[in-house]
Amino acid sequence: MIRTKLFQSENMGTKGVNDVDSQINTFLEENRNCGYVDVKVGAYTEEDGSFYRHYALLVYDEY
């Protein structure tokens, strides 16, 4: 069954990206019955151009 899970971090820059990446890796390691299908990433940006939140939507197959 195809499912999605949202991961996010309020850290800025590379730290935020690494946080989200680590969360995804931990999720997949802890849930061996899930297989990676796709991931969509982005960042919410304040009007002044500063990053506020990094996020990733993981699409996975649960079997």
Side-chain angles (χ1 to χ4, degrees):
M1 177 180 287
I2 299 295
R3 297 187 181 260
T4 60
K5 183 164 178 66
L6 180 65
F7 299 90
Q8 54 190 348
S9 173
E10 292 184 9
N11 290 314
M12 294 185 175
T14 304
K15 174 122 176 73
V17 173
N18 290 341
D19 285 350
V20 171
D21 186 52
S22 177
Q23 291 173 31
I24 291 171
N25 288 334
T26 300
F27 174 80
L28 291 174
E29 287 173 7
E30 293 175 352
N31 297 279
R32 298 281 181 185
N33 62 327
C34 297
Y36 168 87
V37 174
D38 196 10
V39 67
K40 301 296 182 196
V41 297
Y44 171 80
T45 307
E46 293 290 336
E47 287 183 18
D48 66 0
S50 62
F51 288 106
Y52 174 71
R53 175 170 292 162
H54 292 275
Y55 60 88
L57 182 64
L58 173 67
V59 179
Y60 63 96
D61 189 8
E62 186 175 61
Y63 39 86

